[in-house]
Amino acid sequence: MRVLGIESSCDETAVALVSCEAGTFQVDSSLVASQVELHRPFGGVVPEVASRRHLEVIYPLTEEIFRQGGMPPEKVDLVAVTAGPGLPGSLVVGVSFAKALAYALARPLVAVDHVKAHTLAIFLEAHPAFPFISLVVSGGHTALFLVKSPGEHYLLGHTRDDAAGEAFDKVARLLGLGYPGGPVISRLAAKGDPQKIPLPRPMLESPDLDFSFSGLKTAVLHLVRSGKTLETTDLCAAFEEAVCEVLVEKARRALTAFGLSTLVVCGGVASNRRLRQRFKELAWKEGWQVLFPSPEYCTDNAAMVAVAGYFTFQETGPAALDLDIYARSTFPHLPLPRS
Ligand code: KG4
Ligand code: ZN
């Protein structure tokens, strides 16, 4: 089955062609048109600007994907599109385009949840057995899930304020480092000493699996305003270390609580080198399997949408052409088992 994936939930327009056979996936072509340069002067994504750019690029990007994939649109068996969560104006562009394409080609359409797709991206490169724990850590989301099957994702805990990637972006902005913050903070952090500047580990002591990153950002702000002489590299390293420590510890608790040994770490922040290193250390220490998609499949992409679309189609069949977009996901919540 050849699946065309379409993603436009935030500031990346992405299209991919993925061949799926008996649970094995091959990316025939995958393109991402990033809007980073467009939003950089504003220090963050401007929704109105994002949706206009999606509209401009989605058609030529899709033409290019078929050219690169070396096949005509008629070879597509299924059209999969992100229906939410995300910016409504941006989602509408991808969903309307996908509906038109599915109708014109007389092919089934499936709606994909962007957060689930981040987790399912791992199937592009690995085959973890269910159930497993997934940590989705991106610019819009930071949450832990118990994943029982491709479609059954139970929420164990999530951020009560900023997502981890959002915290990277906000800290970078207040340090005058530009946008997006994750990659630049990570680069500077590699040259700094994470122990020199003490920063809090928010919610580390709390027994649940929720996160909070806005206090950490405020702690950095107070330090900057204090007038102390601080090396930016040390501050970046201390901030990165604090985020990594909380993420690793909460994920460790989730695996322990459910007696599982496989963890998937995904979403844009999962491309962070220090985070990957910390999780590899955990895997080695506990004898667990910790899997990350390649960096290109951690950040927003459409190959993950195609994979999620394939699974959705197997489980629920096609969606109706009047399917709607949604700004927020709702996942069933699972409390921690009593120890
Ligand atoms: O998954 P993604 O592309 O979009 C969302 O669904 O949000 O994630 C984007 C986020 C941004 O906040 C960006 O700063 C962060 O991922 N990010 C990183 C790194 N690369 C991207 N954060 C930390 N370290 C990185 N290397
Ligand atoms: Zn994302």
Side-chain angles (χ1 to χ4, degrees):
M1 177 178 255
R2 275 204 195 90
V3 186
L4 180 74
I6 297 172
E7 158 65 39
S8 71
S9 64
C10 191
D11 62 340
E12 325 273 13
T13 322
V15 185
L17 264 176
V18 176
S19 299
C20 316
E21 215 180 298
T24 302
F25 300 93
Q26 188 204 308
V27 180
D28 298 317
S29 50
S30 174
L31 287 173
V32 179
S34 171
Q35 300 183 4
V36 162
E37 294 308 323
L38 194 65
H39 298 284
R40 201 187 294 280
F42 306 101
V45 179
V46 183
E48 178 68 21
V49 174
S51 48
R52 282 176 186 226
R53 180 53 67 89
H54 284 307
L55 201 55
E56 281 166 19
V57 304
I58 200 159
Y59 186 80
L61 199 68
T62 308
E63 275 193 321
E64 181 60 19
I65 213 81
F66 284 114
R67 206 188 56 74
Q68 285 193 9
M71 65 181 81
E74 290 71 27
K75 293 267 183 192
V76 165
D77 299 303
L78 177 68
V79 179
V81 64
T82 300
L87 302 170
S90 291
L91 289 163
V92 160
V93 176
V95 168
S96 305
F97 184 76
K99 283 180 182 179
L101 202 61
Y103 184 75
L105 295 172
R107 295 292 187 275
L109 173 72
V110 279
V112 164
D113 183 275
H114 181 87
V115 180
K116 282 186 178 174
H118 268 304
T119 294
L120 297 172
I122 196 64
F123 288 92
L124 288 164
E125 298 162 303
H127 291 91
F130 295 101
F132 59 81
I133 300 289
S134 175
L135 172 66
V136 182
V137 60
S138 72
H141 313 275
T142 297
L144 276 160
F145 295 94
L146 173 66
V147 185
K148 289 193 179 174
S149 73
E152 283 178 291
H153 299 219
Y154 294 89
L155 183 65
L156 306 176
H158 64 128
T159 181
R160 296 190 181 173
D161 40 59
D162 292 349
E166 192 179 353
F168 269 95
D169 295 337
K170 287 180 175 173
V171 166
R173 197 187 317 172
L174 70 89
L175 294 177
L177 299 175
Y179 169 85
V184 58
I185 288 190
S186 167
R187 226 174 13 255
L188 291 169
K191 297 181 199 140
D193 178 352
Q195 311 301 335
K196 262 199 187 156
I197 303 169
L199 281 176
R201 283 7 184 193
M203 297 202 56
L204 197 61
E205 302 310 321
S206 126
D208 57 36
L209 297 178
D210 282 348
F211 304 90
S212 164
F213 294 105
S214 75
L216 190 53
K217 169 200 68 197
T218 311
V220 175
L221 181 67
H222 287 317
L223 275 172
V224 171
R225 287 196 179 151
S226 71
K228 282 186 202 146
T229 319
L230 303 163
E231 286 294 335
T232 305
T233 47
D234 292 336
L235 196 50
C236 287
F239 168 76
E240 183 181 66
E241 201 63 20
V243 174
C244 290
E245 196 168 319
V246 178
L247 293 173
V248 170
E249 175 54 19
K250 295 267 170 162
R252 191 192 66 74
R253 282 187 212 163
L255 284 152
T256 307
F258 289 91
L260 294 173
S261 56
T262 302
L263 173 70
V264 170
V265 186
C266 54
V269 182
S271 56
N272 181 277
R273 253 196 291 159
R274 180 68 184 137
L275 188 68
R276 290 168 98 97
Q277 188 187 0
R278 293 279 316 242
F279 271 118
K280 279 181 194 156
E281 285 165 14
L282 176 77
W284 184 81
K285 195 168 150 228
E286 303 281 355
W288 289 342
Q289 182 186 36
V290 180
L291 302 167
F292 315 88
S294 298
E296 69 202 280
Y297 300 129
C298 282
T299 45
D300 286 350
N301 66 91
M304 70 181 193
V305 176
V307 171
Y310 171 84
F311 284 126
T312 307
F313 188 67
Q314 306 299 320
E315 285 176 353
T316 63
L321 274 183
D322 64 353
L323 77 91
D324 207 353
I325 58 114
Y326 53 93
R328 290 184 179 280
S329 296
T330 44
F331 287 98
H333 191 270
L334 205 63
L336 275 176
R338 285 175 192 276
S339 53

